[in-house]
Amino acid sequence: VDAIKEVAATSSSFIKQKVKQALDKVDEATDPEGALSKEEYADDLALTSMARLWDVGRTEPIKVGKASPTEGVLPGAVYLIVKYNPAQGGTVQC
């Protein structure tokens, strides 16, 4: 977790925001008193909640570079690393 925070601290505001979003979601998902931690599909709900809803292709034309998959993938990857990797401080077993 420290390494992720260190890299984010020297990165753009976009990266800082996405890392914070992921770490906040891990806290929410692992809080035994929180509603998210009690859900059967907590990870699915957590990952979905961090992704942007896209209307591209339905109401907007698809354009190269229009939507960044990094918006959902970056916080999702950080979430899974921190939550499940003991080397990163994760305490939950898969």
Side-chain angles (χ1 to χ4, degrees):
V1 175
D2 291 338
I4 292 170
K5 288 179 181 178
E6 286 178 29
V7 170
T10 62
S11 299
S12 69
S13 62
F14 174 81
I15 300 296
K16 288 176 186 169
Q17 175 190 7
K18 294 302 169 184
V19 168
K20 181 183 182 325
Q21 180 184 26
L23 297 177
D24 289 348
K25 193 58 67 172
V26 170
D27 290 343
E28 182 183 347
T30 57
D31 176 4
E33 300 299 318
L36 182 58
S37 69
K38 296 174 184 168
E39 292 287 339
E40 182 178 1
Y41 299 105
D43 290 338
D44 289 341
L45 292 169
L47 295 173
T48 302
S49 73
M50 291 188 287
R52 181 170 75 101
L53 297 176
W54 290 6
D55 285 329
V56 176
R58 281 193 303 156
T59 60
E60 302 176 37
I62 297 172
K63 296 179 184 174
V64 174
K66 171 87 173 145
S68 170
T70 307
E71 287 184 74
V73 173
L74 176 62
V78 171
Y79 169 89
L80 291 171
I81 290 166
V82 172
K83 186 173 178 196
Y84 291 105
N85 186 349
Q88 291 295 325
T91 58
V92 179
Q93 295 293 320
C94 291

